[in-house]
Amino acid sequence: MRDLGAGFRYLLKGQRWVARHGRQYGFGLLPGLITLVLYAAALVALALWGEDLVGWATPFADDWAGPWLGLFRGFLTAVLFALGLLLSVVTFTAVTLLIGQPFYENLSEKVDRDVSPDGHAPESGLPFWRELWISARDSLRIVMRAALWGVLLFACGFIPVAGQTVVPVIGFFVTGFFLTEELTAVALQRRRVELRTRLTLLRSRKTLVWGFGTPLAVAFLVPFVAVFLMPGAVAGATLMARDLLGEDIREGGDDGEEGDGAAKTLPRPPSGWSSPGR
């Protein structure tokens, strides 16, 4: 349970870090605002024309009598909008990170320099287009995994009692895990850590991941909150990435203090694992 609290503290530390670095926070808001506008337009379009889309997709029901046609298509329209809303929550981070790749890379590097005992920030050494391609490819893989989980949980939602109590809770934990993967990827990709290894790292510290990502998943249900929390979430995820890799953090560095150069050693990653380039 200690890791659960540690994960939440990283989320808070990330918000404190951007609060002390106003310029980085301001630049970090731009990608989220762009994504919010795009998603809002898509959801409005789905609300306005979702019924027409369902009608086009179900021509076999045109001749149904009585209230059944309206009930059937109304239900499918509601399901379509709910899936669109769920997909927007799950993919918001991935799309925002993709749009804001240069902003968040810069922010994450500054966090690394601030908390590193030697003031060093790891670099991938890859050209920008290559980093963007890797980010887009890995994000697509994560979104596909998250979408499969979303469909499964949506189907389980029809189970009496459990579907209205247990399943939503599981959904928040699953969403929190994938959100954390996307956010820590900013720092871990600079260290040339592949997706499969990232997932192994996160699964080895699930309570840490849930402590960070689950509160964030709940907050991200409110789109405007997601926009304002994104810069701090990237900063906090960078700190947590250092924890996962067992890298040293300068005392007080994450709080924006000068410190005395001392460092504390965080828990080491699973045995047999090593970070590329270390």
Side-chain angles (χ1 to χ4, degrees):
M1 296 300 291
R2 181 180 300 176
D3 262 0
L4 198 65
F8 185 65
R9 284 194 295 274
Y10 280 128
L11 180 59
L12 296 180
K13 287 179 179 180
Q15 302 304 323
R16 289 203 301 268
W17 192 92
V18 295
R20 289 177 167 85
H21 299 77
R23 186 176 181 182
Q24 295 300 315
Y25 180 67
F27 281 122
L29 289 177
L30 295 177
L33 290 171
I34 295 172
T35 308
L36 177 63
V37 171
L38 294 175
Y39 272 49
L43 289 173
V44 168
L46 192 60
L48 292 176
W49 293 293
E51 188 174 354
D52 294 336
L53 180 61
V54 169
W56 171 82
T58 57
F60 57 86
D62 287 342
D63 298 327
W64 287 12
W68 301 113
L69 175 61
L71 290 173
F72 175 68
R73 286 182 171 168
F75 173 74
L76 289 183
T77 302
V79 169
L80 179 64
F81 186 81
L83 284 175
L85 188 61
L86 176 64
L87 190 61
S88 68
V89 172
V90 171
T91 62
F92 183 89
T93 301
V95 174
T96 302
L97 290 174
L98 190 61
I99 292 174
Q101 178 83 4
F103 298 97
Y104 294 132
E105 282 284 348
N106 183 263
L107 189 154
S108 180
E109 287 181 14
K110 288 187 180 300
V111 173
D112 265 323
R113 291 193 184 97
D114 189 40
V115 302
S116 175
D118 59 3
H120 172 70
E123 297 179 1
S124 67
L126 298 174
F128 173 73
W129 68 267
R130 179 64 177 168
E131 289 184 345
L132 192 62
W133 162 249
I134 293 174
S135 178
R137 180 198 64 191
D138 290 350
S139 293
L140 181 60
R141 292 176 178 174
I142 290 298
V143 167
M144 291 177 64
R145 291 169 184 251
L148 289 175
W149 270 98
V151 171
L152 176 62
L153 291 171
F154 184 80
C156 291
F158 292 98
I159 300 175
V161 183
Q164 293 75 49
T165 54
V166 178
V167 172
V169 174
I170 295 175
F172 281 121
F173 278 94
V174 171
T175 304
F177 180 90
F178 287 119
L179 282 177
T180 304
E181 196 290 324
E182 288 286 354
L183 291 164
T184 53
V186 177
L188 294 177
Q189 282 178 0
R190 282 192 291 106
R191 292 160 168 82
R192 305 288 289 273
V193 181
E194 297 291 335
L195 175 61
R196 182 175 297 181
T197 307
R198 296 202 303 266
L199 291 173
T200 300
L201 276 172
L202 294 174
R203 288 169 183 153
S204 71
R205 304 278 299 279
K206 286 182 180 178
T207 51
L208 179 72
V209 171
W210 288 335
F212 181 90
T214 304
L216 200 59
V218 176
F220 273 23
L221 288 176
V222 184
F224 285 105
V225 172
V227 171
F228 290 109
L229 290 183
M230 269 297 291
V234 173
T238 301
L239 295 172
M240 194 170 73
R242 297 183 68 92
D243 185 335
L244 290 168
L245 297 176
E247 297 178 357
D248 294 339
I249 293 181
R250 181 167 57 86
E251 290 284 3
D254 59 312
D255 290 326
E257 300 170 6
E258 290 299 325
D260 57 3
K264 62 179 180 180
T265 302
L266 297 170
R268 294 286 163 182
S271 59
W273 186 91
S274 62
S275 172
R278 291 192 67 204

